Amino acid sequence: MRNAGIAFFAINTDLDLLVTDDPVHIGYLSGYRSILQDSGAYPQALVVTRENIALITGASDGAAALEVLNDPRSIWRYGTFFVFSSGDMPSYEGMPAATKSPAEAVSAAIATMTRNAKNVGCDLHRPELRAAVESVVPQDRLLPATEAFRRARAVKLPGELDLLRYVSRLTDNAIEGVADLIRPGVNELEVAAEITRVIAAGGGICRFVVVTSGERSSRVDAYARSRIMQDGDLVRLDIGATVNGYYSDMARTYAVGDPGPLARDRYSALLSGEQIELGLVRPGITAGAIFEAAMEEVRSGALPNYQRNHCGHGIGLRSHEFPLIGPSNETVLEPGMVLCVETPYYEIGWGGMMVEDTVIVTDTGCELLTESSRELCRPH
């Protein structure tokens, strides 16, 4: 049993067994993540009790799953795929017999694990898998598990915090490393390629690499293009990667030469708002209070009509998680929560800019994970 599973049942004491087909939750509870999960082409499921675990996956995925779970009895396959073995390493031979469909594998795994389970948490999105569970578990014993996951995942475990530190600092280093490329004559794709190279070399997987320059910096979540950067451009970087399923999400804005007084003043207002957020993050404060303070600070500067639906969010196994740093959000921050704080601004026809950092809520304040320069105009 992985630590996340222990923590889940410690928080959700009313549940005896959990079944999920959400790839994020499968990874959270088992520690196993794969290309098969990312592709979305083949269903997976996980059945978990306080003592045991059963991963339901396509037959081709068995070898990769075995590398992590190390117990063939916990891997329930469906379909046909041939992987041979030699020596005395755990192999397909020790796994339960493969079934024809994922629904059959789920039914078989559930049937072996529900003998002493009174309440079963259900986090299933595929109708055929839910029907398979309902065929072996009485309806009155099935409980929705969405809120249970939210409670369990809001505060990160020590191992999760270590992964979030690593992927955040890896991304931070990648951004810091391209500062010298922000100059006339370099195109957006060259910058994006270097960021991708550094993250991949550190064991990360790039999930989004936004490098937009000039007027394109106003284009939210746009891919880099071959546009060549020119003197006076704003260059907006918004980068996210994963390491073992855990996300980074950070942003910087750099200028090519001097972007002019309007850009400098607007950026100063946005940076002041983000710094106010960083100074407020601590246990006991509400997410809504942080949002309101950031908005007030930005509006007191060169963007008096600034509007946002949020100024940050939780982060973990997804790039955007609970809680949202948004208006009227009464969620109280707790130690172990991990947040991204940000103050973006986008204006089509002019450009865009943002600064975003990742922090861990500590007992007394916060631990900053992303420390690269926030200077708009950097010397070369």
Side-chain angles (χ1 to χ4, degrees):
M1 169 63 69
R2 302 301 188 269
N3 288 339
I6 295 171
F8 179 91
F9 284 110
I11 295 170
N12 299 285
T13 57
D14 57 326
L15 297 179
D16 304 301
L17 181 145
L18 175 70
V19 57
T20 179
D21 61 4
D22 186 322
V24 167
H25 295 159
I26 292 170
Y28 173 68
L29 291 167
S30 70
Y32 177 58
R33 298 169 180 89
S34 70
I35 292 174
L36 191 77
Q37 287 176 344
D38 282 346
S39 73
Y42 300 96
Q44 287 187 329
L46 191 74
V47 183
V48 183
T49 68
R50 288 175 173 81
E51 296 82 24
N52 297 307
I53 190 170
L55 174 70
I56 292 87
T57 190
S60 65
D61 207 40
L66 193 55
E67 187 178 35
V68 175
L69 302 181
N70 203 39
D71 180 2
R73 296 168 299 176
S74 67
I75 301 169
W76 296 68
R77 300 160 293 152
Y78 63 86
T80 301
F81 197 89
F82 298 98
V83 176
F84 301 94
S85 62
S86 59
D88 58 359
M89 294 183 67
S91 69
Y92 278 43
E93 293 178 359
M95 298 178 188
T99 63
K100 291 183 178 180
S101 71
E104 290 175 293
V106 167
S107 295
I110 285 277
T112 67
M113 298 175 69
T114 56
R115 293 185 181 92
N116 298 316
K118 295 180 180 179
N119 293 324
V120 175
C122 190
D123 178 48
L124 294 171
H125 306 279
R126 292 178 177 267
E128 71 276 17
L129 298 188
R130 185 175 182 94
V133 172
E134 290 175 347
S135 70
V136 292
V137 179
Q139 186 70 38
D140 61 356
R141 288 167 55 195
L142 288 175
L143 301 176
T146 301
E147 181 61 25
F149 270 111
R150 192 176 83 155
R151 290 197 304 269
R153 288 179 51 208
V155 174
K156 272 54 178 180
L157 300 167
E160 294 181 286
L161 294 177
D162 287 342
L163 282 168
L164 287 162
R165 287 187 182 99
Y166 180 81
V167 69
S168 295
R169 288 168 181 162
L170 177 63
T171 306
D172 196 39
N173 291 338
I175 288 180
E176 183 70 21
V178 299
D180 289 341
L181 290 178
I182 308 299
R183 63 178 188 267
V186 177
N187 72 49
E188 295 171 0
L189 291 171
E190 292 176 271
V191 177
E194 178 60 14
I195 290 170
T196 302
R197 184 194 69 78
V198 172
I199 288 173
I205 300 171
C206 286
R207 299 299 183 177
F208 52 90
V209 180
V210 176
V211 179
T212 52
S213 62
E215 192 281 331
R216 289 201 74 236
S217 59
S218 69
R219 308 297 170 164
V220 184
D221 297 334
Y223 286 111
R225 292 187 175 181
S226 57
R227 183 186 183 277
I228 296 174
M229 291 181 285
Q230 303 170 29
D231 192 54
D233 276 352
L234 295 171
V235 181
R236 186 173 60 83
L237 311 174
D238 187 6
I239 314 299
T242 56
V243 169
N244 200 24
Y246 286 83
Y247 266 87
S248 63
D249 182 8
M250 65 170 295
R252 293 290 186 266
T253 304
Y254 298 135
V256 182
D258 185 358
L262 178 61
R264 291 195 303 270
D265 289 347
R266 285 178 166 182
Y267 182 75
S268 178
L270 295 172
L271 179 59
S272 293
E274 195 250 10
Q275 295 296 295
I276 286 289
E277 291 187 85
L278 290 174
L280 287 175
V281 172
R282 63 181 183 274
I285 194 170
T286 66
I290 295 174
F291 172 82
E292 297 299 341
M295 295 295 290
E296 181 179 354
E297 181 67 19
V298 174
R299 288 170 177 167
S300 70
L303 288 165
N305 298 315
Y306 185 64
Q307 296 185 64
R308 282 287 294 170
N309 62 322
H310 72 85
C311 286
H313 50 83
I315 190 169
L317 286 166
R318 290 190 170 97
S319 60
H320 283 228
E321 290 192 349
F322 172 87
L324 188 73
I325 301 177
S328 304
N329 188 339
E330 296 302 315
T331 300
V332 176
L333 300 192
E334 302 176 48
M337 287 183 169
V338 183
L339 306 170
C340 292
V341 297
E342 59 180 325
T343 49
Y345 178 72
Y346 312 100
E347 184 178 318
I348 293 174
W350 179 76
M353 48 178 58
M354 65 188 301
V355 58
E356 180 177 21
D357 285 293
T358 305
V359 297
I360 298 171
V361 182
T362 66
D363 290 336
T364 57
C366 68
E367 173 189 347
L368 181 64
L369 304 186
T370 45
E371 298 181 331
S372 57
S373 174
R374 298 169 190 81
E375 292 183 36
L376 179 64
C377 303
R378 300 189 59 175
H380 291 285

